[in-house]
Amino acid sequence: MQLPVQSQSTMYAEPWEAAAGAEALVAVARAAERAGFDYIASCDHVAVPRRLAPAMGTVWYDPVATLAHLAAVTERVRLLSHVAIVGLRHPLVTAKQYATLDHLSGGRLVLGVGAGHVREEFEVLGVDFGRRGAVLDEAIDALRAALGPEEFPEHHGKEYDFAGLGQRPRPAQPRVPVWVGGSSPAAVRRAALKGDGWLPQGDPRERLPGQIGRLRRLRDEAGIEEPLTVGAITEPLYVGEPGWDVGRRTLSGAPEAVAASLRAYGAMGVHQIQVRFRSRGRTELTDQIAAFGAEVAPHLD
């Protein structure tokens, strides 16, 4: 699941999150771990312009700082950046941050990357917004090298060129998984050809089979045999019968019914689902997480 509090877009944040902070984040992360969740995730935006603030809000915690804080209070759950806009920073800076996170967490990092969509964010940092796709393509290659086993990584490309510069600590994992986010044709192609996984952005169920088919075709055509972890973001969930208005899109009801609906994702070829629960407070959210882990998840295999 993507964590509450750390990003508060009006599209999905619950009202109670506005007054919440570190204590709530820790409680939710620990609840997710106890419930057997695979990962917790945090977003990435450096700054939000006024024109987008009414919709996006300006609460966007730094993902490295957030995930590092939560790594210290959990033991097993993986730590996903969903997604890091890696084109905003030099790959050696990104590698230093995330290699340290992986090292300190005992190898729990999943590096989710994306192109970004906020023009002003790029411009203020001196990065060409129009070339963000090409920059991301090469940044992934550069990060593969910089997050690999070599103390002195090497990469030579059009955007980035480095060699003979040592970075330690190295990641604890021999290979940090890179999941590519986005649902545009360019993002899907990038995920197919460069990613270990795909993180869609808002694709409804009916669109997923076509996207997954395209991923498979692109990998087959390129001769890539390694498995690709395909993800999906579910509808909002509420386990049980809500006594309040959770919205018409929310999937709710008995655990078996919720699980039956979610199993359709597996039938499409999805390997992992990211869930978001409707809630009126931290306690209701952690109760929902616990109910999902105990009553819904066992019916998903």
Side-chain angles (χ1 to χ4, degrees), residues 50-250:
R50 287 188 186 274
R51 69 179 179 88
L52 295 176
M56 291 180 63
T58 58
V59 178
W60 296 85
Y61 286 33
D62 178 80
V64 179
T66 302
L67 294 174
H69 180 71
L70 297 176
V73 297
T74 56
E75 296 180 354
R76 179 202 59 80
V77 68
R78 292 200 291 174
L79 310 164
L80 169 67
S81 58
H82 187 182
V83 288
I85 309 172
V86 294
L88 294 176
R89 308 163 183 92
H90 193 283
L92 288 180
V93 174
T94 299
K96 169 59 71 176
Q97 294 173 316
Y98 283 100
T100 302
L101 173 58
D102 193 65
H103 179 83
L104 291 174
S105 68
R108 291 192 273 152
L109 171 67
V110 180
L111 182 61
V113 302
H117 66 95
V118 180
R119 178 180 294 275
E120 292 93 332
E121 195 170 32
F122 282 74
E123 290 174 347
V124 75
L125 296 173
V127 182
D128 188 344
F129 179 77
R131 300 193 63 256
R132 66 194 186 281
V135 169
L136 175 57
D137 284 339
E138 186 176 327
I140 293 172
D141 296 337
L143 284 167
R144 291 283 193 196
L147 290 170
E150 298 298 326
E151 179 181 356
F152 293 86
E154 186 170 342
H155 172 81
H156 303 288
K158 294 180 179 179
E159 306 293 335
Y160 308 109
D161 191 286
F162 55 84
L165 296 166
Q167 286 190 327
R168 294 184 69 183
R170 306 306 303 153
Q173 299 178 84
R175 178 184 171 92
V176 172
V178 176
W179 291 0
V180 177
S183 295
S184 69
V188 172
R189 181 176 183 82
R190 185 176 296 117
L193 301 183
K194 293 182 175 289
D196 301 305
W198 176 54
L199 293 163
Q201 185 62 43
D203 287 272
R205 289 190 188 211
E206 57 270 19
R207 192 179 175 205
L208 284 171
Q211 296 278 58
I212 294 169
R214 183 164 182 261
L215 284 167
R216 290 172 174 167
R217 287 193 300 274
L218 288 167
R219 287 177 78 83
D220 287 345
E221 290 167 3
I224 301 172
E225 298 181 355
E226 291 79 8
L228 180 77
T229 300
V230 175
I233 300 175
T234 73
E235 303 86 347
L237 304 179
Y238 193 92
V239 183
E241 296 299 335
W244 56 289
D245 183 8
V246 295
R248 63 179 181 81
R249 288 189 61 251
T250 298

